[in-house]
Amino acid sequence: MPRLFLALLAVQLLACSHDGKFANGVFSNKEARFRIAPVPSGFKLLAIREAGVSFYCAARAATIGVSVTCREADDVPLSALRDHLVFGFTERKQLSEEAISLDGREALVTRLDAKLDGVPIRLTTTVLKKDACVYDFTYAAR
């Protein structure tokens, strides 16, 4: 599933750009710019925020999100950055964790079951550090 998850997002990191815009598959803000491959059928644009973009599929009750934050994070391990993504989820049970290469850098892919406000959720997160930026990829479904 992690490789499929990453293939669905197929992020190509590009040069710096402007604030929270998403057009023609490219997200850009003042810190970064990246391309997102077409999302699976059934997923519709949910939100464009300053730090990223997300998509929702009602039939799957699932969300895909990509975000970027640029500031020095060289000393922060990928596992700590991942923990930041799942803060607020309860009853977390890690199913797997794998270090992979993504855009020439090490990335951490974690699958887990958890609860959010008592609702069971399956999460797949991928965290990548590149060029003083942290890229977070999240797939969440019931």
Side-chain angles (χ1 to χ4, degrees):
M1 170 97 164
R3 301 231 189 263
L4 172 63
F5 171 69
L6 294 173
L8 295 175
L9 295 174
V11 172
Q12 176 184 6
L13 306 177
L14 304 170
C16 292
S17 186
H18 308 18
D19 273 329
K21 296 179 182 175
F22 182 67
N24 301 317
V26 175
F27 174 83
S28 61
N29 66 17
K30 65 182 177 181
E31 299 177 323
R33 175 180 157 105
F34 54 86
R35 177 174 307 283
I36 300 173
V39 295
S41 64
F43 279 86
K44 305 291 182 205
L45 182 63
L46 177 64
I48 302 169
R49 297 198 170 96
E50 184 176 340
V53 61
S54 58
F55 304 87
Y56 179 73
C57 177
R60 299 178 191 181
T63 303
I64 296 173
V66 183
S67 65
V68 60
T69 305
C70 297
R71 60 180 169 265
E72 291 301 320
D74 291 336
D75 294 337
V76 180
L78 293 173
S79 59
L81 295 169
R82 182 262 338 270
D83 290 346
H84 178 75
L85 288 177
V86 298
F87 183 79
F89 288 89
T90 59
E91 299 182 40
R92 294 187 295 252
K93 178 183 176 190
Q94 186 171 308
L95 303 174
S96 67
E97 182 173 271
E98 177 184 14
I100 64 166
S101 178
L102 181 60
D103 202 36
R105 300 292 174 95
E106 183 178 27
L108 183 66
V109 179
T110 307
R111 285 188 302 283
L112 60 126
D113 286 337
K115 288 188 178 180
L116 183 61
D117 295 330
V119 177
I121 304 280
R122 166 104 4 125
L123 294 166
T124 300
T125 65
T126 303
V127 180
L128 166 73
K129 292 190 296 188
K130 182 169 180 156
D131 301 330
C133 293
V134 175
Y135 295 85
D136 300 317
F137 311 92
T138 307
Y139 175 84
R142 288 192 183 190

